[in-house]
Amino acid sequence: MAVVPQEAINQFDALMGEVEEPQKRTFKNIHQGYPHEPLMRFLNAREGNVTKAHKMLADCLKWRVENNIDGMLAKPIVPVELYREIRDSQLIGLSGYSKEGLPVFAVGVGMSTLDRASVHYYIQSHIQMNEYRDRVILPAATKKYGRHVSKCIKVLDMTGLKLSALNQIKLMTTISSIDDLNYPEKTLTYYIVNAPYIFSACWKVVKPLLQERTRRKINVLSGCGQEELLKIMDYSSLPHFCRKRSSGSSKHLDMNADNCFSLDHPFHQQLYDYIKKQALAGVPVEPVKQGSVHVTLPEDATEGDIAKILESELENLRV
């Protein structure tokens, strides 16, 4: 991340003092007691341009208020059988922490089918994972390691990747756009492991859809990546698919307790229990109704177009 001039932060901070009260409230859930941290992230996302960064953050705050993102962690996906289907087809989990205290999130790109629930549920699940990371995991890591932890590391497993994965490119692009527009600069590095020969063909399609700042953070490692990853984390924090003893394949470990993708893993149990408790503590909410939804993203869509499309689609996630 580039060094942000203090003058730019001060200018940005002054502009934030003018936002309305609902935006100020949701901004607190973003910064978690470190108000300058998101300012630096949004400035980096807009190459230090204060005006552009302010607009980006203002749009983010508007998106959060209009879609009740602050209440997203009080909206359990029920019944639990449906949530299990989502966890089995949208593979992501917390495997541990780096030596510097950064959470290590594992993502099973190759084996994620994203075909067992509606688009809305996958988007809801992804946003919940982001919010839980930012409002629970990162503050806990900050307390544990005695320094501000505001980023994570992601290890992307390409085991089982097929060209058919491109059938879900619109949903993946939507999720990527949510992160780019509303959770910028939250990932320090992306490590790609277990890349099959077909990866290069898929990468040619996906690469142009990613922001340049995201592409610069991607490192493709040899094999399961264990040797390189052990330089930044202990063996216990390695995702299960990066351990040579497990043959580097996610699909062989579905019943393994170390499989951080499974709903039975402690991380997912804690996350699901947290959401249920938040729901019980607040006003009762009805689960989002599942239906058939088609998200269309024009090939020449700008960030503004994508933001409007996302805002429209996320209407169904409101309480």
Side-chain angles (χ1 to χ4, degrees):
M1 179 183 291
V3 177
V4 178
Q6 186 61 45
E7 182 181 356
I9 296 175
N10 293 340
Q11 292 176 3
F12 201 171
D13 195 22
L15 290 172
M16 289 304 297
E18 301 174 3
V19 302
E20 297 179 356
E21 191 58 36
Q23 281 75 21
K24 287 182 179 179
R25 287 197 298 268
T26 196
F27 184 57
K28 289 181 180 179
N29 271 331
I30 293 178
H31 68 63
Q32 292 292 311
Y34 296 86
H36 282 183
E37 188 273 334
L39 302 187
M40 291 187 288
R41 287 193 292 106
F42 278 80
L43 279 167
N44 273 293
R46 288 296 177 263
E47 300 180 342
N49 186 304
V50 176
T51 301
K52 292 181 178 180
H54 176 247
K55 182 182 185 307
M56 183 184 185
L57 180 52
D59 289 343
C60 168
L61 297 179
K62 178 182 178 182
W63 170 78
R64 292 183 65 89
V65 171
E66 293 184 351
N67 294 285
N68 191 24
I69 301 301
D70 289 342
M72 192 62 71
L73 289 178
K75 297 180 181 180
I77 295 175
V78 293
V80 68
E81 288 76 15
L82 173 60
Y83 189 65
R84 185 177 293 277
E85 290 291 307
I86 292 173
R87 291 280 62 84
D88 288 343
S89 56
Q90 187 183 35
L91 303 179
I92 184 170
L94 178 69
S95 66
Y97 295 81
S98 73
K99 294 177 180 178
E100 295 185 348
L102 276 65
V104 178
F105 282 92
V107 185
V109 177
M111 300 294 287
S112 290
T113 56
L114 301 172
D115 61 355
R116 299 188 190 178
S118 73
V119 168
H120 295 308
Y121 277 119
Y122 285 116
I123 292 176
Q124 179 182 358
S125 172
H126 181 77
I127 294 174
Q128 286 178 332
M129 195 74 69
N130 282 352
E131 291 295 304
Y132 189 71
R133 174 197 65 196
D134 295 351
R135 292 155 61 181
V136 179
I137 297 297
L138 291 175
T142 294
K143 183 177 181 180
K144 178 180 178 180
Y145 291 95
R147 66 179 188 82
H148 187 209
V149 179
S150 62
K151 296 180 182 296
C152 68
I153 291 171
K154 291 185 178 178
V155 184
L156 313 182
D157 180 29
M158 297 296 162
T159 298
L161 185 68
K162 298 183 178 72
L163 280 176
S164 58
L166 296 176
N167 293 334
Q168 299 293 346
I169 194 67
K170 288 183 179 179
L171 176 54
M172 291 188 291
T173 300
T174 300
I175 289 175
S176 177
S177 296
I178 288 174
D179 288 348
D180 284 336
L181 295 172
N182 302 292
Y183 303 92
E185 303 294 326
K186 294 300 295 186
T187 302
L188 181 68
T189 310
Y190 298 85
Y191 294 102
I192 292 177
V193 301
N194 297 322
Y197 74 95
I198 203 69
F199 170 73
S200 59
C202 293
W203 180 238
K204 289 180 181 178
V205 176
V206 174
K207 186 177 181 179
L209 302 176
L210 301 176
Q211 296 289 332
E212 174 59 29
R213 67 179 189 275
T214 300
R215 294 199 294 266
R216 290 196 296 265
K217 299 177 183 178
I218 296 175
N219 290 316
V220 181
L221 304 182
S222 175
C224 69
Q226 177 174 303
E227 184 176 345
E228 289 298 314
L229 291 175
L230 284 177
K231 296 178 182 179
I232 62 170
M233 67 185 74
D234 295 332
Y235 185 86
S236 61
S237 290
L238 281 176
H240 56 280
F241 50 78
C242 293
R243 301 178 183 182
K244 290 182 179 178
R245 69 180 184 184
S246 65
S247 75
S249 175
S250 305
K251 62 183 178 182
H252 297 308
L253 290 170
D254 289 343
M255 302 304 292
N256 194 308
D258 288 336
N259 182 357
C260 62
F261 296 152
S262 172
L263 180 57
D264 298 321
H265 188 273
F267 167 71
H268 285 296
Q269 288 294 307
Q270 292 164 10
L271 168 59
Y272 198 64
D273 287 346
Y274 181 90
I275 294 175
K276 287 193 296 183
K277 289 178 181 178
Q278 292 297 306
L280 290 173
V283 179
V285 296
E286 295 182 2
V288 180
K289 295 182 179 180
Q290 185 170 358
S292 176
V293 180
H294 181 72
V295 179
T296 300
L297 292 176
E299 294 182 2
D300 58 348
T302 64
E303 283 193 348
D305 295 331
I306 293 174
K308 291 179 181 178
I309 293 171
L310 291 178
E311 183 176 327
S312 175
E313 290 301 323
L314 285 168
E315 285 290 331
N316 291 285
L317 292 181
R318 292 187 182 185
V319 174

